[in-house]
């Protein structure tokens, strides 16, 4: 059979399949119980228990599902869901509450051209590995597996995840035709569930369930014998998905814009939300007191939920303060001890092992502490990467200044106000320094903080307080020698003289 005829058959099947898969009442895909490796599958309840569908975790804070889960047309409005929506992830058995998590959906981002929507959770899910996204379309007659929490042949409201084997056929459109292999069925409540291929030891997401004839499903008339289904393709929108769900360095409140954290002279901790232009919004108090003298930093997800956390040295204790999802903080987790004189900076992932790292200065040396994220975050033994001269340096993390995929270090020599850039190296160390800027004396610019890409133009930036009590934003730039500081604009009109620390 020619490829053209195969594509024509796929299109004809897609045109014929017309029944939506989101259920009322709440409905598992007819097939054997799924194993724990598919615990990235989500159950989504919209409004109340009478309306549910399935989905798949694509990052710690985002679930991908069918647009028809929220709107019969498959194109829900962007923004907050119209009805309260709960999402359960990490549980193949909904009665087992010792694993996974239940979250609230706070934002919908629909795909512009197909039956897909990204669902943002109020806070991230730790301990559940998101699904891998396919990079290539399904091939002719490719074997795939679909999973979901929809109804079965015999059960209206199953409480376990089920999966089934299908044969997939795709063309150049946005849809994938699915034919059951054996007695597998896709039923109401399975909309948005993952359709997976096995690539070596990895399950890859090729699509999400969209529509089915539902022949053989409980509640379907016996006269309906068709069992084919359609999934929505995802491999060709991988960039759209990752562009939305990948965390932005420096973002504390989850709006994908880098933020500033500051301590004032009364010992309170504040979050200044970034606006995406380098300017800042109205501050939010996130620490009521006791922060005076603390070394505070934020860069990296330390508890594995996909959100940037605060790390601080307080009274010699090295602590992680988990982000609740909106920039406010949970109870401190002690992960080590450091000298009370130590100053730290959350540099990001220096070795590209997927884990956040810390830099610390004390005893005139620079140390790297390799981090481990998870429900019990920790740091490994310190590695000395700078032998002397570091007590006079103010450290900050401005991001990947030279755009080589590795985080870099920005440091100010407090003796003469010269800023230096240290480029990240593959082994977790940094290159010899190059001058980034000058004139940043502690009198002229008392405090500095790397801003990541605060104006969202792809270049690492910086904030600095000024001697007159204002706040400056420095756009990053470059010349023939590499990254340099750029022009500054005033983004804080006064009162910054009472701030004792920024990060």
């Amino acid at each position: 059979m020619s490829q053209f005829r195969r594509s024509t058959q796929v299109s004809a099947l897609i045109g014929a399949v017309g029944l939506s898969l989101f259920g009322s009442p709440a409905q598992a895909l007819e097939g054997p119980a799924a194993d724990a490796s598919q615990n990235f599958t989500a159950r989504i309840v919209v409004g109340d228990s009478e309306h549910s569908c399935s989905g798949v975790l694509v990052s710690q804070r985002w679930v991908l599902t069918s647009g028809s889960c929220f709107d019969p047309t498959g194109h829900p409005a962007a923004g907050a869901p119209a009805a309260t929506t709960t999402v359960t992830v990490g549980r193949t058995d909904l009665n087992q509450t010792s694993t996974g998590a239940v979250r609230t959906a706070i934002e919908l981002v629909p795909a512009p051209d197909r039956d897909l929507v990204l669902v943002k959770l109020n806070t991230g899910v730790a301990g559940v590995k998101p699904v891998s996204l396919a990079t290539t379309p399904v091939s002719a007659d490719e074997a795939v597996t679909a999973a979901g929490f929809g109804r079965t042949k015999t059960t209206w409201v199953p409480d376990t995840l089920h999966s089934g084997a299908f044969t997939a056929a795709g063309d150049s459109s946005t849809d994938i035709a699915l034919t059951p292999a054996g007695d597998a069925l896709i039923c109401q409540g399975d909309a948005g569930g993952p359709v997976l291929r096995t690539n070596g030891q990895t399950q890859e997401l090729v699509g999400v369930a969209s529509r089915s004839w539902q022949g053989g499903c409980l509640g379907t008339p016996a006269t309906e014998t068709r069992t084919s289904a359609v999934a929505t393709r995802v491999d060709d929108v991988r960039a759209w998905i990752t562009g939305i769900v990948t965390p932005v360095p420096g973002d504390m409140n989850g709006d994908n814009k880098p933020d500033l954290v500051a301590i004032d002279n009364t010992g309170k901790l504040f979050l200044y939300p970034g606006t995406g232009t380098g300017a800042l919004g109205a501050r939010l108090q996130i620490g009521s007191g006791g922060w005076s003298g603390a070394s505070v930093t934020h860069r990296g997800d330390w508890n594995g939920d996909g959100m940037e956390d605060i790390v601080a040295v307080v009274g010699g204790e090295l602590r992680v303060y988990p982000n609740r999802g909106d920039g406010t903080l949970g109870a401190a987790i002690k992960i080590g001890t450091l000298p009370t004189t130590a100053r730290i900076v959350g540099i990001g992932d220096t070795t590209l092992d997927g884990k956040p790292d810390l830099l610390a200065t004390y005893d005139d040396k620079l140390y790297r502490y390799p981090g481990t994220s998870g429900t019990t975050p920790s740091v490994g033994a310190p590695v000395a990467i700078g032998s002397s001269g570091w007590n006079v340096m103010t450290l900050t993390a401005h991001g990947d200044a030279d755009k080589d995929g590795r985080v870099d270090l920005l440091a100010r020599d407090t003796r003469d106000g010269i800023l230096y850039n240290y480029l990240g190296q593959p082994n977790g160390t940094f290159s010899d320094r190059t001058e980034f800027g000058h004139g940043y004396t502690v009198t002229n610019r008392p405090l500095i903080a790397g801003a990541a890409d605060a104006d969202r133009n792809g270049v690492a930036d910086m904030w600095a307080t000024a001697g007159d009590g204002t706040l400056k934003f420095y756009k990053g730039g470059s010349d023939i020698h590499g990254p340099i500081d750029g022009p500054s604009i005033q983004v804080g009109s006064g009162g910054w003289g009472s701030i004792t620390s920024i990060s």
Side-chain angles (χ1 to χ4, degrees):
M1 180 181 294
S2 70
Q3 183 61 44
F4 175 78
R5 287 182 59 81
R6 183 177 300 277
S7 297
T8 302
Q9 285 189 341
V10 170
S11 298
L13 173 60
I14 289 168
V17 176
L19 292 181
S20 171
L21 296 180
F22 69 88
S24 179
Q27 296 83 25
L29 186 144
E30 176 61 31
D35 61 40
S37 68
Q38 294 169 355
N39 69 347
F40 43 62
T41 307
R43 181 174 185 259
I44 302 171
V45 178
V46 181
D48 55 44
S49 61
E50 297 301 307
H51 181 152
S52 73
C53 55
S54 301
V56 57
L57 191 72
V58 291
S59 79
Q60 305 307 146
R61 199 174 181 180
W62 290 86
V63 165
L64 181 68
T65 187
S66 166
S68 58
C69 181
F70 294 92
D71 187 287
T73 68
H75 300 286
T84 300
T85 301
T86 58
V87 182
T88 303
V89 186
R91 297 175 184 172
T92 57
D93 182 343
L94 298 176
N95 297 312
Q96 177 54 265
T97 59
S98 62
T99 60
V102 179
R103 297 290 186 256
T104 301
I106 60 172
E107 182 183 358
L108 305 180
V109 182
D113 65 341
R114 64 193 68 191
D115 183 22
L116 288 177
V117 63
L118 283 164
V119 182
K120 187 176 186 178
L121 309 180
N122 64 314
T123 188
V125 177
V128 181
K129 185 178 180 180
V131 72
S132 297
L133 301 177
T135 59
T136 57
V138 295
S139 57
D141 300 324
E142 182 173 351
V144 297
T145 300
F149 283 100
R151 70 175 67 165
T152 68
K153 291 179 179 179
T154 58
T155 306
W156 284 102
V157 189
D159 51 18
T160 56
L161 176 68
H162 284 66
S163 64
F166 292 82
T167 299
D171 57 16
S172 59
S173 74
T174 62
D175 292 313
I176 302 169
L178 300 175
T179 302
D183 60 357
L185 297 173
I186 290 180
C187 301
Q188 284 193 358
D190 289 321
V195 178
L196 307 159
R197 70 152 59 101
T198 300
N199 185 358
Q201 300 298 312
T202 302
Q203 296 181 92
E204 294 180 344
L205 184 72
V206 297
V208 300
S210 177
R211 308 182 296 282
S212 169
W213 288 111
Q214 302 181 64
C217 298
L218 185 63
T220 301
T223 55
E224 179 56 76
T225 60
R226 291 168 293 187
T227 58
S228 54
V230 172
T232 302
R233 179 181 171 189
V234 302
D235 66 278
D236 60 334
V237 290
R238 177 188 174 99
W240 171 74
I241 295 171
T242 57
I244 293 171
V245 308
T246 302
V248 172
D251 176 26
M252 286 287 295
N253 64 359
D255 64 356
N256 289 346
K257 301 167 187 174
D259 305 316
L260 180 70
V261 173
I263 302 172
D264 74 358
N265 56 11
T266 67
K268 296 183 178 67
L269 186 68
F270 294 92
L271 174 68
Y272 291 80
T275 63
T277 64
L280 301 170
R283 72 183 188 180
L284 170 70
Q285 184 176 316
I286 59 174
S288 59
W291 293 90
S292 294
S295 179
V296 175
T297 185
H298 67 103
R299 193 61 51 84
D301 168 25
W302 285 84
N303 65 347
D305 63 1
M307 297 176 297
E308 195 159 282
D309 303 308
I310 292 284
V311 182
V313 179
V314 182
E317 288 190 355
L318 182 60
R319 303 172 181 174
V320 169
Y321 291 82
N323 187 346
R324 292 193 179 111
D326 57 0
T328 61
L329 305 178
I333 303 170
K334 180 181 177 181
I335 62 172
T337 58
L338 283 174
T340 56
T341 57
R343 313 308 292 172
I344 61 171
V345 60
I347 191 68
D349 181 7
T350 60
T351 57
L352 303 185
D353 62 355
K355 303 171 185 177
D357 301 313
L358 279 178
L359 298 182
T361 58
Y362 56 88
D363 297 337
D364 209 29
K365 295 181 175 63
L366 177 66
Y367 295 91
R368 176 173 61 86
Y369 284 78
T372 297
S373 60
T375 53
T376 306
S378 63
V379 290
V383 179
I385 59 174
S387 58
S388 63
W390 289 93
N391 279 357
V392 297
M393 306 300 283
T394 303
L395 307 186
T396 189
H398 57 335
D400 179 12
D402 63 344
K403 301 181 183 180
D404 68 347
R406 296 187 178 278
V407 291
D408 304 317
L409 173 65
L410 189 64
R412 187 244 319 257
D413 191 324
T414 57
R415 296 169 298 185
D416 55 19
I418 296 178
L419 277 177
Y420 294 101
N421 192 53
Y422 297 79
L423 300 179
Q425 302 298 298
N427 61 356
T429 63
F430 296 89
S431 68
D432 292 338
R433 67 189 189 183
T434 57
E435 186 173 318
F436 188 85
H438 59 275
Y440 294 90
T441 64
V442 293
T443 301
N444 188 35
R445 296 291 182 264
L447 305 172
I448 63 170
D453 181 15
D455 58 359
R456 314 302 292 135
N457 69 346
V459 181
D461 307 312
M462 183 179 70
W463 284 298
T465 60
D468 61 0
T470 60
L471 181 71
K472 307 289 187 183
F473 171 68
Y474 287 83
K475 292 176 174 287
S478 63
D479 65 11
I480 59 172
H481 302 293
I484 58 171
D485 65 341
S488 70
I489 57 174
Q490 183 173 304
V491 294
S493 59
W496 287 89
S498 65
I499 299 298
T500 61
S501 172
I502 60 175
S503 66

